[in-house]
Structures are given as C-alpha cells and as structure tokens.
Amino acid sequence: MRVKLPHTIIEICRTLSEAGFQAFVVGGALRDALLGVTPHDWDITTDALPEEVEALFPETIPTGREFGTITVLYNGQPVEVTTMRQEGRYSDRRRPDTVAFTKDIKLDLKRRDFTVNAMAYNPITKQFADPFKGRLHLRLRRLVCVGDPKERFSEDPLRMLRLIRFQAVLGFKPAGKTVQAIKPELINAISAERIGQELAKMSLGGHLVPAFELFYSSGLLDEVIPELAACAGVSQGEQHIYDVLGHSVLAAQRIPPQLHLRWAALLHDIGKPKAKMENDGLNFNNHDKLGAEMAEAILQRLRFSNDLIKKVTHLIRFHMYPMGPHMTDKAVRHMIAKVGQEHIFDLIALRHADISAMYIDPVQAVRYLTELRNRVQEVLDAETALTVHDLAVNGHDLMTELGIGPCRIIGQLLEQLLELVIDDPSQNNRTALLAAARRLFDADHKP
C-alpha cells in the first residue's frame, strides 16, 4: 500500500534520508490519507536531533525545540519535523515531564493516543511501521487506545474527549475496553480552553448522534456541559419523538457544518428543562430568552470567542420568531429588520434544522423553509429600507429640519421613521420623511 504525498513532504523526507536519517510521515495526516481524505497538515518524525534538522534546512523555526519539534519552511510551506522520542510521566496531565529522544520508531509510536494515529510511513523506502495494527483498525473502523487505555486517559484526560471527537468526525466505533476506561471526573483537570477547542472540532463532525450517545452515557457530558446533559429525558410533547437532548443533537447534525450554526442548533433548546411547565398542557414559555442566557454562560465558560458567542446567542434568542412562506412582504421586512440581514439566513437554517429534527415529514420541512428562504430573498432583492442607514434622511437632516442639536430624540425619530418605511416603502424619500419627522416631533413636544 502506497500513500500519495505532496512533493514538499517527499523532498523533506528525501533530504533527511540522504543525510543518513530515518524519516516517516506520521499522525492524523497519514490516517486521513489512508482513508482517502485530503490532509491539511503533514507531520514528519525522524531520528535526526533538532540541531541536525536545523543544519539540513536553510529556513527553520524552533517551534518546540525542547520537545524535539522544528518547523521546516520548504518552498514557503511550514512542516513540523519532530525527533522520535519517548516520554515520561504527565504530572500536569498535558505534557510529559521528561522527553528522551530515540531512534526506534516503535517507541515513538507507543506514546500516541489511538492506534489509527500510531502508524508511520517512510515515503523513500515505501515501508510502514504499524506495531499496533492501526491499518487493521482503520479497515474495521474502530477506535482503540495504544496500550492500556487507562494509562492513556490518565496521562492526558483530554484524550477521552478526543475519542468522542474522532467518533464524531470519522464515524468509527470505540472499542469496548477503551470506552470502559473513561473516568469522566478526570476531565476536570483539563483547562476550559483545551476542552472548548476539542468540542469545536467535535461539533463539526458528520456523526454527531452516535458520538453524543457516548458523550452522554459515559458521564463526560455531565462534567463538561451539565446544562445539556440535563436535557436528557425531558419530553417535548406529541410533535417530538425525541427528548430535548436527542432533538438538539439531531438538529445540530442537520444544520450546515459551520461552528456558530452547529452550536446554535446544539444549544437552541437548552432553556427548556428550566422553562418547562405543565399547568395548562406542556409548554416552555420564554425558553428562547432563557436559552440564550444559558448558552452565553456555557460558551464563555468554554472560552469561545466573543464573536461566536454573539452569533449563537442571537440565533437562539430569535429561534422561535414566527415565520413562514406565506408571510406578507410587510411581515418579512419587519422580520429581517428585527433579526438583522446578516443573521436572517442563518436563522432560517436553524429553523429548518429544528423542524426537520421533529416528528414531521422532512420533505414538507424542506419545502416550507425553501419557500421561506425564497420569500426573504425577494424582499432583499427589492432593496427596501431595512435599517436606519437605508433611510433617505439621516440624523443631520433631522437636526437641521427641527432646529435641535444631537440628542436621543434624533435616534428615536430615526427608528420611528424606519418603522414607517418598513410598513410602506414608498415613504422612503426625503420630503416625506422630513414631513413625518416634523409631525412626530411636534406631537411629542406640544407647548
């Protein structure tokens, strides 16, 4: 079996080989290449010491020299070249206390997490080093720890989340012994930032449903996002065949794989357990607003960016906004103005995922949302005013007309004029708006 490699990777390995060193392609890139997926980043391991790597290549960066990693810039492309190594204990549950360089590729592979990531390929000799049956497990689509899974998870508990991430991304099934070794309480030793980074990768996977089944059943979800774990077993009534957790995960799976969309879908009903009331039938009043607040707290805790948090919470806050393909133009304009042009199609995507994850005809859901998307596009194409910046007058115009200086009244008048124009786009001309502003101002400031 041969692996198709970029020219740059082959040439770096050739340079090392011709200098008398071993050179192997390793890690996730090799795994993906064997799966027929185009890798993004390639890693090379060698028995050359860091200073020997630096001497062989004119452009290098000492990325992690103390751990044997040198970034080689070859034709402008950065490639990490790491000296084969053995590792000591992981006192901080992240990095080894000691590193000892080795010339034995098997010892280097032994320190890795899962067998599908513990393979090496020499592009010069066309030979594999695969002491832990990684290629077999690739064919079987199994996730198996290298060596004792308890030791691997104890060294770095983030590997427990990586297991679930690989299940979500690759669609592989974890081995029984690997699953049994999960100790959810260990994850509390990991920083929130590292957990958030792992969850971000997991959430973009194409196999979220089975991955979240393990995430929940292993107890890890309760440690990482207890608010989401609390959604398990919460019934939603006759329109749903899933509880809130199952519905949320399925909605996330059915929305496009963009980070803010996946998290909006995953957390859109996070407020339901707290909002649930059964006085006059089952209802979840204000779960959208409550959910937006809870989602903000969750994403802040996991150290996600402010930009992502803003997008996710905005979508959750408006995910119950009444919408449909038979809305009038006026109603569509009001919806776009309320939600924001930059969010409207994301909100429709969230509504589509939400509806398709319920107990209804999915074909009907697709038709419903497609028609709605077309209606919104028609209104946008009409180029009517949807924000105060689209009005035919601005604040300076109003101050001149009314003879007043900058004050909050100007902002209030602009918002009132926008409402007027959304109701009747023909009013968006300077004469009509200045006359309307005068009427509104005079009505509120009678002597």
Side-chain angles (χ1 to χ4, degrees), residues 292-311:
E293 295 171 0
M294 293 176 65
E296 182 177 18
I298 292 168
L299 296 175
Q300 286 179 342
R301 186 174 74 228
L302 294 172
R303 302 294 192 272
F304 280 99
S305 72
N306 290 334
D307 181 61
L308 180 128
I309 293 173
K310 182 179 179 181
K311 289 179 180 178

Side-chain angles (χ1 to χ4, degrees), residues 100-217:
F101 297 135
T102 180
K103 292 184 177 294
D104 188 342
I105 185 61
K106 293 182 181 180
L107 292 178
D108 181 86
L109 297 176
K110 184 179 179 180
R111 67 184 176 83
R112 299 175 186 268
D113 50 9
F114 305 106
T115 60
V116 293
N117 298 328
M119 303 175 289
Y121 175 71
N122 186 323
I124 308 305
T125 65
K126 307 295 190 297
Q127 293 181 327
F128 276 94
D130 185 14
F132 305 106
K133 301 180 181 179
R135 285 176 292 173
L136 172 62
H137 295 149
L138 274 184
R139 290 194 294 272
L140 296 176
R141 301 178 67 81
R142 300 296 299 278
L143 291 169
V144 182
C145 273
V146 174
D148 185 349
K150 293 182 180 179
E151 290 183 15
R152 296 291 83 75
F153 293 155
S154 178
E155 289 168 348
D156 183 357
L158 190 67
R159 288 170 173 165
M160 297 185 295
L161 277 184
R162 282 171 60 83
L163 173 71
I164 297 170
R165 189 247 288 187
F166 286 132
Q167 184 179 12
V169 174
L170 300 176
F172 288 12
K173 183 178 180 180
K177 289 184 178 179
T178 298
V179 170
Q180 293 167 11
I182 293 176
K183 293 185 177 181
E185 65 276 6
L186 291 178
I187 201 67
N188 294 309
I190 303 301
S191 70
E193 184 175 13
R194 291 185 72 206
I195 291 174
Q197 291 171 350
E198 200 63 41
L199 291 177
K201 297 173 184 176
M202 178 198 305
S203 66
L204 296 176
H207 308 272
L208 293 184
V209 173
F212 266 86
E213 287 177 357
L214 176 58
F215 201 1
Y216 175 74
S217 65

Side-chain angles (χ1 to χ4, degrees), residues 388 391 409-420 422:
V388 292
L391 294 174
I409 294 173
I410 298 298
Q412 293 171 349
L413 283 172
L414 287 171
E415 291 295 339
Q416 289 175 298
L417 293 178
L418 178 61
E419 287 292 315
L420 176 68
I422 289 176

